[in-house]
Amino acid sequence: MGYSSKLVEQAVEALSMLPGVGKKTALRLALFLVEQDEDQVKSFSEAVWKMRSEILHCTTCHNLSDTVQCAVCLDERRNRQLICVVESFKDVMAIEETGQFNGVYHVLGGVISPIEGVGPEQLNIDTLIHRVKDQSEEPPELIMAISPTIEGETTIFYLSKQLKDLSVKISTIARGVSFGGELEYADELTLGRSIIARIPYEK
Amino acid sequence: MGYSSKLVEQAVEALSMLPGVGKKTALRLALFLVEQDEDQVKSFSEAVWKMRSEILHCTTCHNLSDTVQCAVCLDERRNRQLICVVESFKDVMAIEETGQFNGVYHVLGGVISPIEGVGPEQLNIDTLIHRVKDQSEEPPELIMAISPTIEGETTIFYLSKQLKDLSVKISTIARGVSFGGELEYADELTLGRSIIARIPYEK
């Protein structure tokens, strides 16, 4: 590029690391930032760095958290007998958005994928087993909210084997045709399974 | 939004100040950044802040610059008799990209716009007049590379009045149908003017 400022060039380089931001967009963003008040750019840059440097992972469920334990785990009203097992903190956000779940979470940090070199030991599985064992009250229920891919299914299978001697109920989230989705566009597997797993109609 | 981290929320707030970035995209960017190495996010944040805090404006032409005088003004091979007058440093970049200009620049920092409260005194016009007066050699040529809007034309007119007693040549960049542009899609004004300002065909 033909601009002669090393400072701008370095900022463009930095901004183009963002997903979906190429060199042209990065330049547009940099030139926007260079025109803003110094205070504003300072808080911009600080907010990003503060987030990355101060964010913690909840010691109980491994969710992103500002504190040692995350807001969900600290919430007294949550049902601790109901543990939703997810792949990443993004899934926690997605499920929290629905407002339909009042249990707690366990973030695995990925799924078992031999191709990508991710084995069970890289995931937060030990802590999950400890959590299940530590339950003094009635046996907990684990809801597997994991992507229905081969890796996801493998992970659920592995977890169920690890947990089979413990007193625990395991379920997976319902698969089916999505609300507002048209039947003709649903893939065969989903459509097929949603017929097998049909639900009695409530009048 | 349903995420419970104040740190993430503040980063989303910051990122959504960027042009074309809404809350959803900002969240995606924030979650991307939170997953990157700490070092990378540190250099990201530093590059942006360093650019904004250390960038200077060239004391001669007001272009963005890392140094007291910009790289263009410092370049010995540039023709100092040929001054291209532009609205913003973005125009300097655009013209530099073409590689067709070997003169120097003068960045006005805007155009005269009574509606937006921009008068001549807010623009870098004094320094332009000084530059023209300081020319000891042959009279300089000012190329007005300013947007063909009412404000732009007003600015050019104002500048030409201010400069009329000085020994200076004034030109404006050629207006016409763009290369690769189809005649039927050109606006009437451009097409009309490009017929009036027709150029003898060189065989």
Side-chain angles (χ1 to χ4, degrees):
Chain A
M1 299 229 170
Y3 44 90
S4 47
S5 163
K6 266 263 165 270
L7 292 167
V8 174
E9 234 168 276
Q10 278 154 3
V12 167
E13 193 67 42
L15 288 159
S16 60
M17 84 179 251
L18 295 173
V21 174
K23 286 273 168 192
K24 278 234 163 178
T25 309
L27 178 60
R28 197 164 56 85
L29 297 180
L31 296 184
F32 169 84
L33 285 166
V34 101
E35 281 180 319
Q36 303 309 301
D37 285 343
E38 222 171 297
D39 286 353
Q40 262 190 294
V41 180
K42 187 166 198 163
S43 20
F44 171 87
S45 144
E46 279 176 353
V48 168
W49 171 236
K50 203 172 141 78
M51 171 184 72
R52 182 59 193 86
S53 59
E54 293 183 12
I55 204 101
L56 299 170
H57 289 91
C58 173
T59 49
T60 304
C61 73
H62 307 282
N63 187 16
L64 281 190
S65 174
D66 296 358
T67 45
V68 176
Q69 279 206 307
C70 77
V72 175
C73 287
L74 287 173
D75 189 342
E76 299 264 317
R77 291 162 304 178
R78 293 288 187 143
N79 179 357
R80 264 147 247 272
Q81 242 63 41
L82 203 57
I83 304 175
C84 183
V85 179
V86 295
E87 212 175 308
S88 110
F89 55 83
K90 292 179 191 174
D91 303 323
V92 173
M93 284 185 189
I95 296 171
E96 283 298 287
E97 280 287 298
T98 69
Q100 299 287 315
F101 181 65
N102 81 326
V104 292
Y105 295 92
H106 192 89
V107 179
L108 292 176
V111 282
I112 297 171
S113 168
I115 293 169
E116 292 181 25
V118 181
E121 63 289 346
Q122 271 114 308
L123 305 178
N124 302 318
I125 291 177
D126 287 353
T127 46
L128 178 60
I129 291 168
H130 279 293
R131 278 179 85 178
V132 172
K133 280 184 183 163
D134 284 353
Q135 290 280 358
S136 47
E137 299 161 58
E138 52 182 311
E141 177 176 349
L142 298 189
I143 304 173
M144 301 290 172
I146 294 177
S147 307
T149 56
I150 293 179
E151 290 84 3
E153 301 288 356
T154 308
T155 309
I156 295 175
F157 181 69
Y158 179 87
L159 283 174
S160 67
K161 292 257 281 193
Q162 295 290 308
L163 294 161
K164 74 174 189 299
D165 298 329
L166 298 173
S167 163
V168 59
K169 264 199 296 188
I170 299 180
S171 57
T172 67
I173 54 169
R175 315 277 184 214
V177 177
S178 60
F179 283 94
E182 300 207 28
L183 279 204
E184 56 176 316
Y185 299 124
D187 63 291
E188 292 163 31
L189 191 64
T190 304
L191 193 53
R193 289 220 191 158
S194 75
I195 288 170
I196 293 166
R198 65 192 174 277
I199 313 162
Y201 186 66
E202 284 168 35
K203 267 180 279 190
Chain B
M1 299 224 172
Y3 44 90
S4 47
S5 164
K6 266 265 164 270
L7 292 166
V8 174
E9 234 168 273
Q10 279 155 4
V12 167
E13 193 67 40
L15 287 160
S16 60
M17 82 179 253
L18 295 173
V21 174
K23 286 274 170 190
K24 276 234 165 180
T25 309
L27 178 60
R28 198 163 56 86
L29 298 180
L31 296 184
F32 169 83
L33 286 166
V34 101
E35 281 181 317
Q36 303 309 301
D37 285 343
E38 223 172 297
D39 286 353
Q40 262 190 294
V41 180
K42 188 166 198 162
S43 21
F44 171 87
S45 145
E46 279 176 353
V48 168
W49 171 236
K50 202 172 142 82
M51 171 184 72
R52 182 59 193 87
S53 57
E54 294 184 12
I55 204 99
L56 299 169
H57 290 91
C58 172
T59 50
T60 305
C61 74
H62 307 282
N63 186 14
L64 280 190
S65 174
D66 295 358
T67 45
V68 176
Q69 280 207 307
C70 77
V72 176
C73 287
L74 288 173
D75 189 345
E76 299 264 317
R77 292 160 304 178
R78 291 288 186 141
N79 179 358
R80 264 148 248 271
Q81 245 61 40
L82 203 57
I83 303 176
C84 183
V85 180
V86 294
E87 212 175 308
S88 111
F89 55 82
K90 292 179 192 175
D91 304 323
V92 174
M93 283 186 191
I95 296 171
E96 283 298 286
E97 281 285 299
T98 70
Q100 299 288 314
F101 181 66
N102 79 326
V104 292
Y105 294 92
H106 192 88
V107 179
L108 292 176
V111 283
I112 297 171
S113 168
I115 293 169
E116 292 182 27
V118 181
E121 63 288 345
Q122 271 113 309
L123 305 178
N124 303 317
I125 291 177
D126 287 355
T127 46
L128 178 60
I129 292 167
H130 279 293
R131 278 179 85 176
V132 172
K133 279 183 182 160
D134 284 352
Q135 290 279 358
S136 48
E137 300 161 56
E138 53 182 308
E141 176 174 350
L142 297 190
I143 304 173
M144 301 290 174
I146 293 177
S147 308
T149 56
I150 294 180
E151 290 84 3
E153 302 287 357
T154 308
T155 309
I156 296 175
F157 182 70
Y158 179 87
L159 283 173
S160 68
K161 292 258 283 195
Q162 295 291 308
L163 294 159
K164 75 174 190 301
D165 299 330
L166 298 172
S167 164
V168 60
K169 265 197 295 185
I170 298 180
S171 56
T172 67
I173 52 169
R175 315 273 185 218
V177 177
S178 60
F179 284 96
E182 300 207 28
L183 280 203
E184 57 176 314
Y185 299 124
D187 64 293
E188 292 162 29
L189 191 65
T190 304
L191 193 53
R193 291 223 190 153
S194 76
I195 289 169
I196 294 165
R198 65 193 173 279
I199 314 162
Y201 185 67
E202 285 167 34
K203 267 179 280 194

